[in-house]
Amino acid sequence: MLSKILNSASNDNSILLWYTYLMNLDKPFIAKMIFIYGLIVLVSNVIAMLVPAVISIPVLDTENMKLWEEFLAKNNMVKWVTFIAFITPTVVCIVYTKIISKSDERIAKSIAQIPSVFAFSSVIGWNLYYFIEIPFVVYARALFGIHIKGILLSSWFFALFSGMTGYTIAYLAIEILNRTILLPRVFPEGHIIQKDFAFKPVFRHLLTFSYMVSTLFPVTLLLISYISIHVNNNIPMQKTIIYISVLLVIIAYGITLSFSKIILNPLGKLTKAAQRIKDGDYKTRVGVVTADDFGVLADSFNDMAESLAEKEFMRDTFGKVVDPEVRDYLMSGKGKESLGQALGGQTREVTVLFCDIRSFTAMSEKMQAGEVVSLLNRYFTALGKCITAHHGIINKYIGDAIMAIFGAPVESQNCAKDAFEAALDMRQALIQVNREFNKDGLPELRFGIGLHTGPVFAGTIGAENRMEYTVIGDTVNTASRLESLCKIYKTDLLVSQATTEKINGKDEQPDAIDFKFVDNAQIRGKTEPMKIFTF
């Protein structure tokens, strides 16, 4: 089942939502609502039958119709055909419910289209009513020699009017309950999956059905009644009334179509604009300018888009002030939780990298401040790419030094190996940077890198009104000390034993990295010497 969900969902968020919906389905409540929907279909068909019966559809051929009604009274055919017209929607609703109840996934996918399916069952039932009646009409013709054209026309009009009435009443009632009660209960976060809909609700179709039931059929009924009275009594007809009736039907359709355009066009623009914003185009604006509710909605939408664009700008800027991974962490659930505290975080094993430029103070004294900033920006940009390429984050710039973390806030499979590979890339990047500096007449740079692996406390630290994400602990101090020892041991890279063991394992494998032992160095602040290596 989960594999099907993964195939039908479009992204990670929808997969998670979809899986959550399936896990939280309230089947007894859904079954109760479906039962109520079935009762609504039954009641709508009762109304659909009573309305034409009360109105009494007029016919032009009264003599043949009297013979037909006598035939119906003797055979009780109306009861049986009417029973079929009622039982068919019930059977359709029961069968459909059984089909969707085979799995939780089908239930969740089909809930939104229940109003369309249940309501359409009324149309099926009344169409069967008409087609089952045809053989009896033909039999009556053979028996009595009556003309059946008027009878079939009246029967078809009755079935069509009843079917459309039942559909419209059932759909409106069920759709209102579905939208206000069932769908919010099953999909509290929205995102209804519509990929496999066989009966997708279309507002334009509903308007068309409403027009037919409220305007087309009543006007047609009145018009036929007028014509039948005049024909049956040999009274001259006034064609003006016919023309006016036809004109009213056309005008009403034009009004319905206009309402459809007024409602659906702005909704279409809003939907397309929302999709563009979802894709990251925050400059999108909706061109709906009216004084009604849609105008207010469009203005609110445009204000929202402007606000999102501003927030995205702040988010992007935030990602330049701090590492993007730190930004994403701080904006996530865990990050927000830790930001609500003066001190928040957790103990993690990480590898800390310190990198410092050699003799930078003396070098910067000979340069203008603007030149120093430009040089550092180019240098930091080149080395920063190496760090982020290996899942590290630049925690801070300390003058001309870089402090980077591997393994927090996002965990790494081997933070020490990531940091070591980043250091090797930084070597190559420095060579390229110095080539560019030579071309521009700038001094060449040299650096020292220290790597150490161990436990740290990683989280948000600072005052209530200003915090930063960082790591603290002896591991950070040791990495800084190793970087300083690069000056003494005349090398650009020193790696602690803890880091080499993390990379190669304590029992070195055949493909282990061949680190070069440097010394048992005395690290300031530690009582025991530490084995340090280079490469």
Side-chain angles (χ1 to χ4, degrees):
M1 181 186 297
L2 185 57
S3 62
K4 294 181 180 178
I5 298 170
L6 297 176
N7 291 332
S8 64
S10 58
N11 52 56
D12 292 341
N13 290 334
S14 61
I15 292 173
L16 181 59
L17 284 172
W18 189 232
Y19 183 69
T20 303
Y21 296 153
L22 295 186
M23 294 296 292
N24 297 319
L25 278 181
D26 188 350
K27 292 182 181 178
F29 178 76
I30 294 173
K32 185 186 299 182
M33 291 301 299
I34 291 177
F35 177 75
I36 294 173
Y37 294 168
L39 292 179
I40 290 174
V41 172
L42 182 63
V43 172
S44 67
N45 279 282
V46 171
I47 296 173
M49 184 189 70
L50 291 178
V51 171
V54 172
I55 294 175
S56 182
I57 296 176
V59 293
L60 298 176
D61 191 353
T62 55
E63 294 298 328
N64 286 292
M65 183 58 68
K66 288 179 179 178
L67 293 173
W68 170 244
E69 289 176 352
E70 291 176 1
F71 173 77
L72 293 179
K74 291 179 180 179
N75 293 276
N76 294 322
M77 192 202 77
V78 173
K79 296 180 181 179
W80 288 105
V81 177
T82 304
F83 174 76
I84 293 173
F86 274 90
I87 198 66
T88 300
T90 305
V91 172
V92 171
C93 294
I94 292 174
V95 171
Y96 183 75
T97 303
K98 291 290 185 182
I99 292 174
I100 68 173
S101 300
K102 290 182 178 179
S103 68
D104 293 350
E105 184 181 356
R106 284 191 177 184
I107 293 174
K109 278 187 176 182
S110 304
I111 285 175
Q113 59 182 346
I114 285 178
S116 298
V117 176
F118 276 34
F120 189 70
S121 67
S122 298
V123 178
I124 297 174
W126 287 106
N127 272 277
L128 280 176
Y129 174 95
Y130 175 70
F131 287 110
I132 292 173
E133 193 178 43
I134 291 177
F136 291 91
V137 175
V138 175
Y139 175 71
R141 177 186 179 183
L143 190 64
F144 301 108
I146 62 176
H147 298 287
I148 63 174
K149 184 176 181 181
I151 297 172
L152 289 176
L153 185 62
S154 298
S155 179
W156 173 80
F157 190 85
F158 173 80
L160 183 62
F161 184 66
S162 299
M164 289 300 180
T165 302
Y167 175 91
T168 305
I169 294 173
Y171 181 83
L172 285 174
I174 297 174
E175 183 68 13
I176 290 173
L177 289 177
N178 220 37
R179 292 188 181 197
T180 56
I181 299 177
L182 185 55
L183 289 178
R185 180 83 167 258
V186 178
F187 301 99
E189 302 294 332
H191 298 280
I192 300 174
I193 302 298
Q194 301 183 11
K195 182 178 179 182
D196 300 326
F197 273 17
F199 297 90
K200 187 175 181 180
V202 180
F203 186 73
R204 187 179 292 105
H205 295 168
L206 182 59
L207 282 178
T208 302
F209 289 134
S210 299
Y211 159 75
M212 294 174 69
V213 173
S214 62
T215 303
L216 181 61
F217 289 155
V219 172
T220 304
L221 187 65
L222 291 174
L223 186 59
I224 294 175
S225 179
Y226 171 79
I227 294 173
S228 64
I229 290 173
H230 284 69
V231 170
N232 293 333
N233 296 280
N234 295 319
I235 302 174
M237 288 186 295
Q238 295 183 6
K239 294 184 178 179
T240 305
I241 295 179
I242 299 175
Y243 295 150
I244 292 175
S245 300
V246 173
L247 183 61
L248 286 175
V249 169
I250 295 173
I251 292 175
Y253 181 73
I255 293 173
T256 302
L257 190 62
S258 299
F259 272 120
S260 174
K261 294 290 184 182
I262 290 173
I263 295 173
L264 295 179
N265 284 354
L267 287 178
K269 291 181 179 180
L270 285 165
T271 302
K272 291 179 181 178
Q275 184 60 46
R276 289 196 295 271
I277 287 180
K278 180 182 177 183
D279 295 336
D281 182 10
Y282 297 105
K283 295 181 179 179
T284 293
R285 296 295 181 271
V286 180
V288 178
V289 184
T290 64
D292 58 13
D293 294 340
F294 283 108
V296 175
L297 178 60
D299 291 339
S300 300
F301 185 94
N302 291 334
D303 293 340
M304 179 197 69
E306 186 176 349
S307 177
L308 287 173
E310 182 179 349
K311 290 180 180 179
E312 181 63 20
F313 172 77
M314 294 174 64
R315 182 178 182 274
D316 185 57
T317 304
F318 186 31
K320 294 177 181 177
V321 176
V322 301
D323 192 275
E325 290 192 3
V326 174
R327 174 201 64 197
D328 295 338
Y329 168 78
L330 294 177
M331 296 179 70
S332 67
K334 291 182 179 179
K336 290 177 182 177
E337 182 180 348
S338 63
L339 280 172
Q341 307 170 8
L343 180 65
Q346 55 184 298
T347 300
R348 301 275 283 272
E349 183 181 66
V350 303
T351 298
V352 180
L353 179 151
F354 270 90
C355 177
D356 189 30
I357 299 177
R358 294 289 167 258
S359 306
F360 183 75
T361 302
M363 183 189 308
S364 60
E365 289 178 354
K366 302 176 184 178
M367 302 172 63
Q368 297 293 328
E371 293 177 334
V372 174
V373 172
S374 176
L375 180 144
L376 284 176
N377 286 342
R378 294 170 64 180
Y379 166 79
F380 286 148
T381 299
L383 269 61
K385 292 178 180 178
C386 302
I387 293 170
T388 56
H390 294 282
H391 316 296
I393 67 165
I394 298 174
N395 183 248
K396 62 186 69 177
Y397 296 105
I398 310 170
D400 60 304
I402 300 173
M403 175 183 167
I405 310 168
F406 296 81
V410 180
E411 293 185 3
S412 171
Q413 292 184 348
N414 194 325
C415 59
K417 188 174 183 180
D418 289 339
F420 175 67
E421 291 176 351
L424 298 184
D425 286 353
M426 290 166 69
R427 278 178 169 174
Q428 299 301 317
L430 183 63
I431 294 173
Q432 182 61 34
V433 167
N434 282 330
R435 288 174 183 169
E436 295 175 1
F437 284 178
N438 284 332
K439 291 180 183 179
D440 298 337
L442 296 173
E444 289 190 1
L445 302 180
R446 295 179 299 108
F447 62 37
I449 298 176
L451 297 178
H452 182 53
T453 303
V456 297
F457 183 87
T460 50
I461 299 171
E464 290 184 357
N465 61 341
R466 183 174 178 82
M467 298 182 179
E468 69 170 352
Y469 180 88
T470 189
V471 294
I472 58 175
D474 181 65
T475 300
V476 179
N477 298 331
T478 302
S480 178
R481 303 285 187 267
L482 288 176
E483 179 273 317
S484 299
L485 289 176
C486 288
K487 304 173 186 177
I488 297 175
Y489 291 102
K490 308 298 182 183
T491 181
D492 64 348
L493 175 64
L494 285 177
V495 184
S496 67
Q497 184 178 7
T499 301
T500 61
E501 289 180 351
K502 181 71 175 178
I503 296 172
N504 292 331
K506 293 185 178 180
D507 300 326
E508 294 189 0
Q509 304 297 322
D511 58 346
I513 297 174
D514 186 17
F515 289 100
K516 179 182 178 182
F517 176 73
V518 175
D519 194 10
N520 281 312
Q522 185 64 49
I523 305 297
R524 182 159 56 92
K526 289 186 176 294
T527 56
E528 297 293 331
M530 175 185 290
K531 292 183 179 181
I532 55 176
F533 302 81
T534 189
F535 182 80

